[in-house]
Amino acid sequence: MIFEPFSIKGLPFKNRIVRSSIGGKTAHWDGTITSAFKNFEKRFAENEVAAIISATIAVDEKRASPLQYPVLSHDRFIKPLAEAVKAVQQYDCRYIIQIGDVGGHTQTSLFNEAEDAKSASTLFDFFFGYKTLHRAMSQEEIEIAIEKFGEAARRVRETGADGLEVTASKGYLIHQFLNPAVNRRTDQYGGSVEKRFRFLEEVVRTVRQKVGDDFLFGIRLSAADYNYLPLNIRLPLRFPLRQWYFGNTLKENLYYAQKLKTLGVDYLHIDKGFGFINPKGNPGAFPLHEIKLYYNGNRHLSFKAWMRSVLVNTIPEFILSPLANIGWKDIPAISADEARRFRDEIGLPVIANGGFQDRRLIEETLQAGKADLIAMARPLLANVNLVRLFKQGAFLPPNPCTHCNRCPVRTANFPLGCYDPSRFASQEEMEAQILEWSAASDERLAYQENANSMAEQLADK
Ligand SMILES: Cc1cc2nc3c(=O)[nH]c(=O)nc-3n(C[C@H](O)[C@H](O)[C@H](O)COP(=O)(O)O)c2cc1C
């Protein structure tokens, strides 16, 4: 079934494999994408994925996170993005732009800024975001945030993209409003499950109005929050403790999905967990060294950031490593069973995400009707030609992704690529692969051509 075409809202997908969002340092400091963004995306399209879902593109430039990640908060960002969209579409590959707002999970900033603390409620969360305290948004700030989603959605359509996805997952701002441990509001945006949905509902209504009824519009939704993973230090405690410990379960998320269907959303993209990164969203190993690197790089930003870095540097690794690894496990097709519940009970097309790589498992998931499309990130970063290999009959690539999870953390500081040394014969080989991903920019190629022609001219003299 992998190679059976599929369509959503009349939009054809040539096979069932979608490249999931992969964010990285592919923009200038102001958030305008560089040509590395285009070249990065193009490589997946050339290698036969049916569609690409972009990195989460920030709707608010004040919370571009991390720095040098793409932003869509102004019309000046449309043109360069439109060029990237076109470059992908020439390979009969659909391009869906995902937009989002990280809210209080903002990872880095030039300076400590009040905007980076904005969330559903005021609380202390040890693991996510650099701000010591997340702060509740005012009614006016909520309205501005919704407006920013709407304006970014309009821009998405103007880029010529095939569709738009809003992330209500990953522990980002919308997810912060949905999650009962994070949303402690007592106004119309918090309290009951209906009220926690209100922020997302207003975003969906605004976005739909901006992009029109004929434009593909999906939502990335977490099937269950698992607040206790990776580390639930959200203080003060929230009662009932069951909600604080687990967050939303499948039951509440099915309720949200039903409402989304009524609001006219076209598909659901299902993953699991709360926060980036978390063991349910990125099943595999805990990247302790990469987390240390990240904490060390940002410790100047706040007291909490400094404290985290002191802790990870002083606790001996033989104690820290087993503790930090609690809950981290490589679980294949981690959200496939939940995806089936959404597909069966809501009746919208479903993309399943997380822990796919083996062709047999992808085939089984599709055959069993658990999902219509399968999204992959890390395995495609490790083997960009994975779909071609499947076509040639392979079940797994010869050098598969190990789900070591170094890439999603390391690339907040460094270029995109695979950072697992066990997959490479030498450090030079690993470096060359990273350069191939991220530095294959038009500027570099032009520079190379220029250097070649200068060398020829010198040789002629
Ligand atoms: C380097 C990297 C960057 C990512 N960036 C984003 C992102 O910008 N937005 C998002 O929603 N998910 C992001 N993800 C999560 C992936 O889209 C995907 O959900 C996750 O890696 C699990 O899928 P996999 O098992 O196929 O890797 C990223 C993952 C990686 C590895």
Side-chain angles (χ1 to χ4, degrees), residues 6 8 10 94 125 149 192 224 274 297 372 392:
F6 185 69
I8 311 179
R94 306 282 81 84
D125 177 347
F149 269 100
S192 64
F274 184 88
D372 301 290
Q392 289 158 14

Side-chain angles (χ1 to χ4, degrees), residues 177-430:
F177 273 82
L178 295 176
N179 190 316
V182 179
N183 184 343
R184 297 155 183 226
R185 303 178 76 93
T186 49
D187 61 4
Q188 71 270 35
Y189 291 98
S192 64
V193 65
E194 293 84 12
K195 287 181 172 175
R196 296 199 305 273
F197 181 73
R198 184 170 174 149
F199 181 62
L200 175 55
E201 176 172 354
E202 291 179 5
V203 168
V204 169
R205 284 190 196 283
T206 309
V207 164
R208 181 51 95 193
Q209 193 238 325
K210 294 281 183 176
V211 296
D213 288 340
D214 58 338
F215 197 63
L216 182 76
F217 172 24
I219 297 284
R220 181 155 174 170
L221 190 69
S222 172
D225 292 339
Y226 299 90
N227 278 358
Y228 57 94
L229 292 172
L231 200 56
N232 194 7
I233 308 187
R234 292 186 180 89
L235 301 173
L237 292 178
R238 162 95 170 146
F239 297 94
L241 277 181
R242 186 184 49 78
Q243 282 194 346
W244 174 80
Y245 190 71
F246 293 104
N248 286 315
T249 60
L250 183 61
K251 183 168 161 245
E252 285 88 18
N253 286 303
L254 282 166
Y255 166 83
Y256 295 146
Q258 189 59 54
K259 301 271 280 184
L260 290 170
K261 185 184 179 189
T262 317
L263 289 168
V265 161
D266 299 314
Y267 73 87
L268 297 168
H269 180 177
I270 300 298
D271 64 6
K272 283 212 283 205
F274 184 88
F276 189 63
I277 63 171
N278 77 74
K280 298 289 182 185
N282 273 62
F286 180 73
L288 182 59
H289 291 141
E290 281 64 28
I291 289 281
K292 271 191 189 179
L293 185 106
Y294 164 68
Y295 282 176
N296 289 338
N298 299 314
R299 69 181 163 195
H300 59 289
L301 283 170
S302 70
F303 175 69
K304 179 177 89 177
W306 172 82
M307 197 170 67
R308 284 191 309 211
S309 126
V310 170
L311 282 177
V312 293
N313 286 299
T314 48
I315 301 175
E317 218 166 291
F318 72 92
I319 300 176
L320 191 59
S321 182
L323 283 178
N325 270 289
I326 293 173
W328 289 88
K329 203 173 158 203
D330 193 359
I331 304 173
I334 190 162
S335 57
D337 290 335
E338 287 85 354
R340 167 190 239 149
R341 296 283 304 272
F342 285 91
R343 192 168 178 267
D344 288 352
E345 291 171 40
I346 311 300
L348 283 175
V350 164
I351 306 177
N353 188 317
F356 288 99
Q357 175 161 233
D358 189 323
R359 180 159 71 92
R360 278 164 291 216
L361 190 61
I362 295 174
E363 199 60 65
E364 266 169 44
T365 305
L366 293 168
Q367 294 281 1
K370 294 181 181 179
D372 301 290
L373 295 164
I374 303 293
M376 282 190 280
R378 294 166 299 171
L380 286 166
L381 198 52
N383 289 286
V384 70
N385 60 345
L386 192 58
V387 178
R388 285 186 196 277
L389 293 173
F390 286 167
K391 243 187 187 169
Q392 289 158 14
F395 290 117
L396 270 175
N399 189 10
C401 168
T402 60
H403 293 151
C404 72
N405 274 328
R406 287 181 174 92
C407 62
V409 182
R410 188 161 286 244
T411 54
N413 289 331
F414 293 107
L416 282 160
C418 173
Y419 284 87
D420 180 359
S422 77
R423 294 192 59 252
F424 301 94
S426 64
Q427 186 165 311
E428 286 71 32
E429 200 184 289
M430 182 158 79

Side-chain angles (χ1 to χ4, degrees), residues 5 91 98 105 190 201 350 393:
Y91 295 98
Q98 192 202 78
H105 284 204
E201 176 172 354
V350 164

